[in-house]
Amino acid sequence: MSDLEAEYRLDYFEEEGFHRRECDSCGVHFWTRDADREVCGEPPCADYSFIDDPGFPESYTLEEMREAFLSFFDDHDHERIDPYPVAANRWRDDVLLTQASIYDFQPLVTSGQTPPPANPLAISQPCIRMQDIDNVGKTGRHTMAFEMMAHHAFNVREDADAEYAYEGEVYWKDETVEYCDEFFEHLGADLEEITYIEDPWVGGGNAGPAIEVIYKGAELATLVFMCMEQDPDGDYEMKDGNTYSFMDTYIVDTGYGLERWTWMSQGTPTVYEAIYPDAIDFLKENAGIDYTDEQQTIVNRAAKLSGRLDIDDVDDVEAARGDIAEKLGVDVAELRELVEPLEDIYAIADHSRTLAYMLGDGIVPSNVGTGYLARMVLRRMKRLVDNVGVDAPLDELVDMQAERLGYENRDTIRDIVRTEERKYRKTLERGSRKVEQLADEYAGTGEPIPTEKLLELYDSHGIQPDMVAEIAAERDAEVAVPDDFYSLVADRHEGVDDADEDDRDERFADLPPTEKLFYDDQERTEFEAVVLDVFEREDGYDVVLDQTMFYPEGGGQPADRGTLTAGETTVEVEDVQEVDDVVLHRTDADPGTGEFVRGQVDGERRTALMQHHTATHLIGHAAREVLGDHVRQAGAQKGTDSARLDVRHYERITREEVKEIERVANRLVAENVAVRQEWPHRHEAEAEHGFDLYQGGIPPGTNVRLIHVGDADVQACAGTHVGRTGDIGAVKVLKTEPVQDGVERIVFAAGDAAVRATQRTEDALYDAADVLDVDPQDVPETAERFFEEWKARGKEIERLTEELAEARAGGGADAEEVDVDGTPAVVQRLDGDADEIRATANALREEGKIAVVGSGADGSAQFVVGVPEGSDLNAGEVVGQLAARVGGGGGGPPDFAQGGGPDVEALDETLEEAPEILRQALA
């Protein structure tokens, strides 16, 4: 008996006459109404039995199935909740993409810190699972983008000691399975064919019993009962090797795959025809894929067995394809030729929807995080499109899905796709040379290019593994591409670094939270407080007060500075930090525990920081208005002289865009709108303003502090701000620069700092005007004229150098012409600069002569060797031998090379030996 077997013995199973069986094929335990059933029903233990024989009497579209599910749970007292974005890092900082509906409620709701938006609730949540990317198109059922229909209930045990944001039990396992059965029955399913497989769930430090729901060969739902947490002293050892114990909260976490339920209702060969019918038809016609009746029959029969190609269940996908071919009685090569183009079509349709979700929800392709994952999908889609011969533009394919999904930013989506495609072409041009070098390294060794090298090539240059295989085959090198290659790539980039924990003294835990006075009056700089405790540090002291006006460092805003005075003692506050709601004032001396102190914040510094923090909100708002709604904050740092805002954007910000951003920000300054704060419940805030609230990070707690800049901008923010935008004075953008691909930095100044920055720019302009002896407004024109004259002089010098080289190429006192295997060769010493000796050698080469030109200028020996077209001489080898004789080295292409060394005394002797070196090189 497994540790959790008792958790699956439900009253509902007993009342309904279910039987617990062990699968004869894979050994798992499952529940069924059919006493004679021998296998669990999931591929590869059983094949799809609903293709051409739908599991429901009525056919549903995606929209109809979604509504059927939500309406069913509406009728069963669940509140319908709007879906969240696919970019989960918009509201939580521990994951990147939304992979399940429960992600919407982690970790704050599932831990009991905040209440759910409704209890119980139902939702249909768009999700993206990158780990399924290699299965897409092959298994007939996997989609990277999908909607998880779900119902959730959040419960707390009656004997819980701690307080939670919700209480009592809504419903638990029996009711959950009953709902599932009833929904199947509601759609007209044959309940005898349903199996409930026992499959304990583990994830993110939690665990619990779970049930996979299988119907006619397809897994349509998973019922997870999250009720355990990792505990080294726990009684239950789970499949991850860790022990767990029951926790106070227990949560119904269900997932019903919208696409698979729709597929089940239609009985199409694969899920893709059911959910992407228009896209599949368009792509097949565009790629010229057309089957005879006999071929279509083979394809349909293969589709029923395609569940056996799941990379999670088989070691070798192609070997499994061979088994399918044998079962169908066809040649495996014939089967592959028929189905592989179709698999590519299916994957293109799925990748299009995945990108529509990602780009529609504001993800900008880049080299990190969600941006990297979007870029990976786009590049793989591009390769698939090329492979199968689809000539439709990528942006058009993505737009088809974006239109169906109802996104309003379709122009931006198309622009991003086109931009990324251009970048990819340039990346491939650079990266193909790397592949050739790597292939040459492994050619003839008998060893395949390692997977790690393939991953590095993809990460660094976007080179797809099949492209590596093509180039490698041309150069006699082997490549073994793993079936789960793209899953391995995604694994490299899906993780989120754990935040560093504060290295703090445990005594802080006994201290009450510090009352933060700066939220009551952000312009106030004086206050009185009591010293609760003082902790000595290596370079000073940490002073804890009962209340403070000092703002601790956070959210990109530096800490306040100032003084604390106790009687005759005044200490300098050099830094302020916060640890678990306790504010630590880092001082140069000990003011004394229990002392009454008077605090004085540096008002000038506070004002400058407030101006720059509010200006950051203005710049962010202006950037979204000018560049597009996809713009989101990627980082920020405020200062007293300047600040910076990093934004996610797919192109360089132009000068005209900078000026417009500046105009929009200063228009808000001129309007002098109010900057106000409020502390609403987070669910109310999210419902009204969406997840763009969290530009600067995700704050904890049930209530969040919102900063409103008039009606223009609202963000969750813990920083200090001016009372009205007019208090900023002015905002000046100083520069923009790329931080990384997909992230642009805007550096700006506010208030007096903006004036000082403008004056510095003017000073530079006036200094340039003085140097050029013109008026400041004439500097650009004058500088351009000087530059053109400088270029013209450079070209004239270059022309004269070439004429001089041609004249010298005709011979001279230091030139010797010899015959080398029928080709004239000129050996000459010319103590000129590098450009001059290269030009001379090139002039000789163009005359059909081998050129060896040496120079002793600048105290070193230099050589240039030029070889005319048709000669078998290798200039790189010759110059290497010459340079070695003067203590150096060199090389280059076979037709033109250069090198040298420090021994200028050996130059003449080496040139004398040059004719013999040339003859030996040709021998």
Side-chain angles (χ1 to χ4, degrees), residues 262-560:
T262 302
W263 180 27
M264 178 65 65
S265 78
Q266 295 184 23
T268 53
T270 72
V271 70
Y272 314 109
E273 285 93 356
I275 63 177
Y276 308 125
D278 296 336
I280 297 298
D281 289 343
F282 173 82
L283 290 167
K284 286 172 65 176
E285 181 178 355
N286 188 283
I289 296 176
D290 188 24
Y291 297 119
T292 65
D293 292 343
E294 182 181 355
Q295 290 173 330
Q296 188 64 56
T297 299
I298 294 173
V299 168
N300 288 357
R301 290 175 61 207
K304 296 181 180 181
L305 306 177
S306 61
R308 304 179 181 208
L309 298 177
D310 190 337
I311 61 171
D312 296 328
D313 296 328
V314 298
D315 295 327
D316 186 333
V317 170
E318 287 311 306
R321 195 190 299 278
D323 294 339
I324 293 174
E326 184 178 354
K327 190 175 180 66
L328 296 176
V330 298
D331 181 73
V332 67
E334 178 187 357
L335 179 62
R336 186 182 295 110
E337 185 178 351
L338 284 174
V339 301
E340 283 190 345
L342 201 53
E343 290 173 351
D344 285 351
I345 291 294
Y346 294 152
I348 291 167
D350 179 74
H351 288 18
S352 299
R353 182 168 70 147
T354 302
L355 285 169
Y357 273 132
M358 286 178 149
L359 306 182
D361 277 353
I363 294 175
V364 175
S366 69
N367 288 331
V368 295
T370 54
Y372 181 93
L373 299 175
R375 173 167 288 168
M376 183 182 81
V377 176
L378 191 149
R379 289 180 172 180
R380 186 169 192 258
M381 177 180 165
K382 170 62 176 171
R383 187 68 174 166
L384 291 168
V385 162
D386 292 343
N387 281 350
V388 80
V390 171
D391 63 3
L394 258 62
D395 63 299
E396 181 180 327
L397 299 178
V398 176
D399 184 61
M400 288 172 62
Q401 296 296 331
E403 180 180 21
R404 188 178 66 79
L405 294 171
Y407 283 112
E408 296 180 356
N409 57 338
R410 288 168 52 202
D411 288 343
T412 299
I413 292 172
R414 296 189 72 150
D415 199 17
I416 290 175
V417 174
R418 287 191 293 265
T419 301
E420 274 298 299
E421 200 172 355
R422 287 195 299 270
K423 289 180 181 179
Y424 186 34
R425 281 197 296 268
K426 293 178 181 177
T427 300
L428 287 180
E429 291 170 4
R430 295 192 302 267
S432 59
R433 293 189 292 273
K434 292 283 186 183
V435 180
E436 291 170 356
Q437 293 171 6
L438 184 65
D440 289 342
E441 181 182 340
Y442 282 87
T445 65
E447 296 181 15
I449 297 175
T451 298
E452 190 62 30
K453 294 287 186 182
L454 298 179
L455 291 169
E456 289 172 8
L457 279 171
Y458 187 87
D459 262 355
S460 303
H461 302 285
I463 304 295
Q464 314 259 355
D466 52 348
M467 180 178 174
V468 178
E470 290 172 10
I471 295 175
E474 294 171 359
R475 307 176 96 84
D476 194 29
E478 298 178 16
V479 175
V481 182
D483 292 327
D484 60 345
F485 177 81
Y486 289 96
S487 298
L488 295 175
V489 174
D491 288 343
R492 283 185 159 203
H493 296 270
E494 276 198 304
V496 176
D497 293 336
D498 293 332
D500 294 332
E501 293 187 3
D502 293 300
D503 182 14
R504 69 185 189 90
D505 194 310
E506 284 300 319
R507 290 174 294 175
F508 295 165
D510 298 327
L511 293 167
T514 307
E515 185 179 354
K516 299 169 184 175
L517 303 175
F518 47 79
Y519 285 143
D520 298 329
D521 185 352
Q522 297 175 80
E523 296 181 355
R524 180 180 162 195
T525 58
E526 294 184 9
F527 68 100
E528 296 174 342
V530 174
V531 179
L532 299 182
D533 212 337
V534 178
F535 302 99
E536 188 170 358
R537 303 170 65 245
E538 287 185 9
D539 56 350
Y541 299 85
D542 279 340
V543 178
V544 180
L545 309 176
D546 64 334
Q547 58 183 10
T548 187
M549 280 298 303
F550 283 92
Y551 181 83
E553 180 181 12
Q557 179 173 327
D560 283 333

Side-chain angles (χ1 to χ4, degrees), residues 806-922:
E806 290 172 1
R808 284 176 169 161
D814 296 325
E816 177 187 1
E817 183 168 320
V818 296
D819 181 80
V820 177
D821 196 23
T823 302
V826 174
V827 179
Q828 181 177 3
R829 174 165 177 165
L830 172 61
D831 290 334
D833 60 24
D835 289 340
E836 191 173 349
I837 63 174
R838 281 197 296 267
T840 301
N842 194 52
L844 289 165
R845 186 172 67 92
E846 289 180 353
E847 290 182 5
K849 299 175 182 179
I850 298 170
V852 178
V853 183
S855 170
D858 299 326
S860 64
Q862 299 294 323
F863 300 98
V864 174
V865 178
V867 176
E869 187 176 348
S871 175
D872 293 332
L873 192 69
N874 188 309
E877 293 179 3
V878 173
V879 87
Q881 294 186 50
L882 295 171
R885 285 168 166 73
V886 294
D895 62 340
F896 203 82
Q898 59 188 35
D903 189 1
V904 71
E905 298 296 330
L907 175 60
D908 289 333
E909 182 180 348
T910 302
L911 288 173
E912 290 174 5
E913 297 173 357
E916 185 59 29
I917 293 173
L918 292 172
R919 293 187 184 99
Q920 290 177 0
L922 281 170

Side-chain angles (χ1 to χ4, degrees), residues 722-858:
V722 298
R724 304 189 73 86
T725 55
D727 298 336
I728 296 173
V731 180
K732 179 65 182 174
V733 176
L734 306 180
K735 64 176 181 178
T736 63
E737 57 188 3
V739 178
Q740 62 190 41
D741 196 14
V743 177
E744 292 286 305
R745 173 166 292 170
I746 305 173
V747 181
F748 59 93
D752 290 343
V755 176
R756 293 194 297 271
T758 302
Q759 290 171 340
R760 286 195 299 272
T761 302
E762 288 181 343
D763 288 344
L765 177 62
Y766 276 91
D767 288 345
D770 287 343
V771 171
L772 297 172
D773 193 24
V774 296
D775 290 335
Q777 61 267 28
D778 295 329
V779 166
E781 181 182 344
T782 304
E784 183 179 9
R785 177 165 53 84
F786 280 7
F787 179 67
E788 292 299 327
E789 290 175 357
W790 173 78
K791 283 200 303 182
R793 287 194 179 96
K795 290 179 180 179
E796 179 67 11
I797 291 170
E798 184 179 332
R799 183 184 64 79
L800 293 173
T801 299
E802 290 175 354
E803 289 180 359
L804 179 60
E806 290 172 1
R808 284 176 169 161
D814 296 325
E816 177 187 1
E817 183 168 320
V818 296
D819 181 80
V820 177
D821 196 23
T823 302
V826 174
V827 179
Q828 181 177 3
R829 174 165 177 165
L830 172 61
D831 290 334
D833 60 24
D835 289 340
E836 191 173 349
I837 63 174
R838 281 197 296 267
T840 301
N842 194 52
L844 289 165
R845 186 172 67 92
E846 289 180 353
E847 290 182 5
K849 299 175 182 179
I850 298 170
V852 178
V853 183
S855 170
D858 299 326

Side-chain angles (χ1 to χ4, degrees), residues 12 16 18 31-34 37 55-56 178 180-196 214-215:
Y12 181 76
E16 290 293 312
F18 278 80
W31 294 83
T32 174
R33 287 180 167 90
D34 182 359
R37 178 178 281 274
F56 308 130
E178 184 174 2
C180 186
D181 251 9
E182 288 183 3
F183 185 58
F184 270 109
E185 190 173 22
H186 175 70
L187 295 182
D190 181 356
L191 300 186
E192 290 288 323
E193 291 203 51
I194 301 171
T195 57
Y196 290 91
I214 313 298
Y215 181 49

